[in-house]
Amino acid sequence: MLHKTWRRVAIATAGLLALTVTTACSDDPGESTDLAENRVGAMANYGVGDQFKATEALSFSTLYNNHTFYPLKEDWLFWSELTKRTNVKIEPVAVPLSDYEQKRSLLIGAGDAPLIIPKTYHPQEDAFVSSGAILPVSDYLDLMPNLKDKIAKWNLKPEIDNLRQADGKFYLLPGLHEKPTQDYTVLVRTDIMQELNLPTPKTWDDLYAVLKAMKAKYPNIYPYSDLFSKPNPTGALLNLLGSAHGTYAGWDYQHATWDPAAKKYTYTGSSEQYKQMVTFLHKLVAEGLLDPESFTQTDDQARQKLANGKSFVVTGNAQTLVNNHRPDLAKTLPNAKMAKIPLPVGPAGEINPFPRLENGIMISTKARESKNFVAMMQFIDWLWYSDAGLEFARWGIEGTTFTKDASGKRSLVPGVDFLGLHPTAPKHLQKDFGFQNGVFAYGGSPDLVRGFFSPEELEFQKVMDARKPREVPPPRPFTDEEREQVSLWETPLKDFVTQNTLKFALGQRPLTEWDAYVAELKAKNSEQYIDVVNKAYERFQKKNG
């Protein structure tokens, strides 16, 4: 059975461990290593590949992102087996997926945050650094041998350096991927392509030609009607288009883009690459190839259009394809077929834009004062970074949820489904067992991450693996004063870029007004913003070479 405090999981403001809130550790290396009073429950000799098991029963409060597809259950095998292996019970403080970021900020601001705070995407941690609410986790890497080993073995130093703040430390423990595994791409009705004798598009211009052919055959539909209009209009599509044009947009919008030729940062929303992307998007809408309702409609509305043959193309990934679109089509258009196509190539060339660092974990500063602090860091290291912990979080228990053959290849047991591998199975890996949970399962080697992939998906990844990883931009960490200043600019700038991207795309603002738009961005401090970014970049380079 779970810990008696489990009943608090539905209340985001649940009472947590009574620990004193302290400020972040200083730069004195002695402070981060003076942990003699904080080793209760820790293993004396814990190293790479060791099974962590606390020397006494422990529990750690953890912020829990409660996913609607697999709502939290008390009787998941994940919980009991985790305690069996580690002698640790997690006390989840559950908040809904839709409110996660807001509730996380409220809890941290009130001093009520759990000790472990997962599902944090860089640079979200920046907002909590200056207050001292979260730990500079880089001070404690010696307690995390598996994390250190993978950073070194997978050559992740450039990515890790991008997490560093002006003090040279980083405050987020990221999920680590050995190789980028791009998932989001364009999903296409392949039966329509076959009907029209169209080849699989390789580039965005090829996709444009495919959409034109679909429109010519079916003039009363918009071939591309997209999902994901919240929180950013067509956030997924703009994300893909942005990376293809060498910039950032949609879900991935960042204010600064590195220019390797000029060796400086430029403001993203006014760059030539962003203009090219917006121009292409405008062309799709103007020619009736992209549904203008893509920017405002709900996901359910977009799904219904696809299911009813009112569109043929959406943005998505393996899960939306298998869990949503194929079942929808099977009910309404049983002869329809849909597939992921390799991410179309744009002006930036054949790149794989998926980063090797994933969302990560913040640690509440009050954890540092706990007598169990060292044990907690060892536990985190085992669950999120050891080979055994990564396998457990993703696959579950050998012989119960998966098997291994003589070569070590994993397979789900026939009675368990995930990603449609066993669609008629009575149990689901996430819903019924709690494994492959986005709070605990991210990162890993390709064989671990892709072990669930169908042959179709593995072919997609084979194409993407042949492409170059996207270049990691150089670090440019802000000081506290700089962060305070740019935080006043960022939201108005991003809102203005988003609004005008939409206006340009829909033809509500002509592209001939691009220069005027850039001038308006400057009036909202875009140039001052980039000046601060480049100053921070130059300072980091001078200090770190």
Side-chain angles (χ1 to χ4, degrees):
M1 292 296 292
L2 293 174
H3 195 272
K4 63 182 179 181
T5 56
W6 183 280
R7 301 303 173 188
R8 296 180 294 177
V9 301
I11 306 173
T13 57
L16 302 173
L17 299 179
L19 297 168
T20 302
V21 179
T22 64
T23 56
C25 297
S26 73
D27 292 333
D28 179 5
E31 183 174 348
S32 65
T33 56
D34 182 15
L35 296 164
E37 303 299 319
N38 309 93
R39 294 183 175 273
V40 176
M43 291 176 59
N45 297 296
Y46 171 68
V48 175
D50 290 342
Q51 170 63 53
F52 169 77
K53 190 158 191 177
T55 58
E56 62 178 60
L58 302 175
S59 61
F60 300 121
S61 56
T62 302
L63 195 61
Y64 184 86
N65 188 353
N66 203 1
H67 202 291
T68 52
F69 185 69
Y70 47 95
L72 184 150
K73 292 181 180 178
E74 177 178 346
D75 62 352
W76 274 339
L77 184 59
F78 174 86
W79 305 117
S80 57
E81 183 67 21
L82 180 66
T83 300
K84 178 181 175 182
R85 295 189 186 197
T86 66
N87 208 17
V88 170
K89 292 179 180 179
I90 284 179
E91 296 180 352
V93 178
V95 295
L97 174 67
S98 58
D99 294 332
Y100 188 78
E101 292 182 18
Q102 180 182 10
K103 292 291 179 60
R104 180 185 61 202
S105 296
L106 290 172
L107 286 167
I108 294 174
D112 292 329
L115 302 182
I116 302 172
I117 310 170
K119 295 301 285 185
T120 300
Y121 291 83
H122 178 71
Q124 291 174 346
E125 77 277 16
D126 290 359
F128 311 111
V129 170
S130 60
S131 69
I134 59 174
L135 277 185
V137 290
S138 55
D139 282 351
Y140 305 99
L141 293 189
D142 285 345
L143 304 179
M144 309 185 75
N146 289 290
L147 170 59
K148 286 182 66 176
D149 178 63
K150 283 183 169 54
I151 290 173
K153 187 166 56 179
W154 294 348
N155 299 313
L156 286 163
K157 185 179 182 300
E159 286 90 343
I160 293 294
D161 281 346
N162 258 281
L163 303 178
R164 296 188 186 277
Q165 303 291 329
D167 60 6
K169 302 178 181 184
F170 56 90
Y171 292 71
L172 183 74
L173 295 169
L176 308 179
H177 284 267
E178 182 178 1
K179 288 185 176 182
T181 299
Q182 177 68 27
D183 192 6
Y184 277 88
T185 185
V186 180
L187 315 182
V188 181
R189 280 275 302 274
T190 52
D191 58 306
I192 301 296
M193 292 180 61
Q194 290 171 356
E195 173 193 338
L196 301 179
N197 196 30
L198 299 170
T200 300
K202 181 178 179 180
T203 67
W204 283 100
D205 286 339
D206 293 342
L207 180 62
Y208 166 77
V210 166
L211 296 173
K212 288 281 284 186
M214 289 177 169
K215 184 72 174 180
K217 177 68 174 179
Y218 299 95
N220 295 325
I221 72 157
Y222 292 106
Y224 205 143
S225 188
D226 211 20
L227 309 96
F228 310 120
S229 65
K230 308 297 182 184
N232 304 111
T234 60
L237 173 58
L238 282 169
N239 180 292
L240 302 182
L241 276 173
S243 62
H245 285 80
T247 188
Y248 301 98
W251 287 344
D252 193 35
Y253 185 77
Q254 300 175 30
H255 292 280
T257 299
W258 176 245
D259 183 342
K263 293 194 179 303
K264 66 178 183 179
Y265 281 92
T266 59
Y267 190 75
T268 299
S270 58
S271 67
E272 181 60 29
Q273 296 97 319
Y274 201 89
K275 180 183 179 182
Q276 290 176 4
M277 181 205 71
V278 170
T279 301
F280 182 80
L281 192 65
H282 169 79
K283 181 169 71 170
L284 295 183
V285 175
E287 297 185 19
L289 308 181
L290 177 65
D291 185 356
E293 292 183 356
S294 297
F295 298 91
T296 54
Q297 67 189 353
T298 66
D299 288 359
D300 284 344
Q301 288 172 321
R303 284 178 63 178
Q304 284 301 311
K305 288 179 181 179
L306 183 68
N308 294 326
K310 302 299 182 182
S311 69
F312 302 138
V313 181
V314 295
T315 309
N317 62 11
Q319 291 201 55
T320 61
L321 175 64
V322 172
N323 294 335
N324 298 342
H325 303 310
R326 281 178 174 166
D328 290 348
L329 288 166
K331 294 175 184 176
T332 56
L333 300 168
N335 293 323
K337 298 185 184 302
M338 194 164 206
K340 289 174 68 173
I341 64 170
L343 185 60
V345 176
E350 295 196 13
I351 61 169
N352 188 333
F354 193 84
R356 292 202 296 158
L357 299 190
E358 203 170 345
N359 68 89
I361 304 162
M362 296 186 294
I363 304 297
S364 173
T365 300
K366 60 189 174 184
R368 176 62 177 78
E369 297 305 302
S370 169
K371 64 182 181 179
N372 306 128
F373 175 67
V374 173
M376 189 187 80
M377 299 303 285
Q378 291 177 343
F379 167 73
I380 292 171
D381 181 68
W382 180 83
L383 180 56
W384 275 277
Y385 298 106
S386 75
D387 291 343
L390 287 164
E391 179 184 75
F392 169 73
R394 284 193 181 274
W395 286 86
I397 303 171
E398 186 173 1
T400 301
T401 56
F402 76 99
T403 58
K404 281 184 182 179
D405 64 17
S407 68
K409 181 181 178 182
R410 305 171 188 86
S411 300
L412 280 181
V413 299
V416 178
D417 182 39
F418 180 65
L419 286 179
L421 292 176
H422 301 140
T424 61
K427 297 290 185 180
H428 190 276
L429 190 64
Q430 292 172 312
K431 296 178 181 180
D432 297 300
F433 295 101
F435 299 111
Q436 195 65 33
N437 187 317
V439 176
F440 306 110
Y442 40 84
S445 60
D447 71 297
L448 188 73
V449 174
R450 304 176 185 182
F452 298 101
F453 291 178
S454 64
E456 173 188 22
E457 180 64 17
L458 290 173
E459 281 300 310
F460 173 88
Q461 295 300 333
K462 184 177 179 181
V463 173
M464 297 305 299
D465 282 345
R467 301 182 183 180
K468 296 186 301 182
R470 187 170 187 168
E471 182 181 356
V472 180
R476 31 93 174 183
F478 296 138
T479 64
D480 289 346
E481 293 78 11
E482 289 169 341
R483 186 180 297 107
E484 183 177 357
Q485 177 61 70
V486 300
S487 67
L488 300 176
W489 298 333
E490 285 177 334
T491 298
L493 280 169
K494 184 176 181 180
D495 288 347
F496 189 75
V497 170
T498 300
Q499 292 162 7
N500 281 274
T501 299
L502 181 57
K503 288 179 181 179
F504 284 128
L506 293 174
Q508 296 170 354
R509 184 171 191 178
L511 287 165
T512 53
E513 291 188 12
W514 181 264
D515 290 344
Y517 154 74
V518 171
E520 291 159 9
L521 274 174
K522 291 178 181 178
K524 293 183 179 294
N525 302 300
S526 63
E527 285 192 329
Q528 290 95 321
Y529 184 96
I530 286 301
D531 287 344
V532 175
V533 169
N534 282 316
K535 178 182 176 182
Y537 156 69
E538 291 164 6
R539 181 177 61 240
F540 188 91
Q541 288 296 111
K542 185 176 181 180
K543 185 176 179 180
N544 298 277

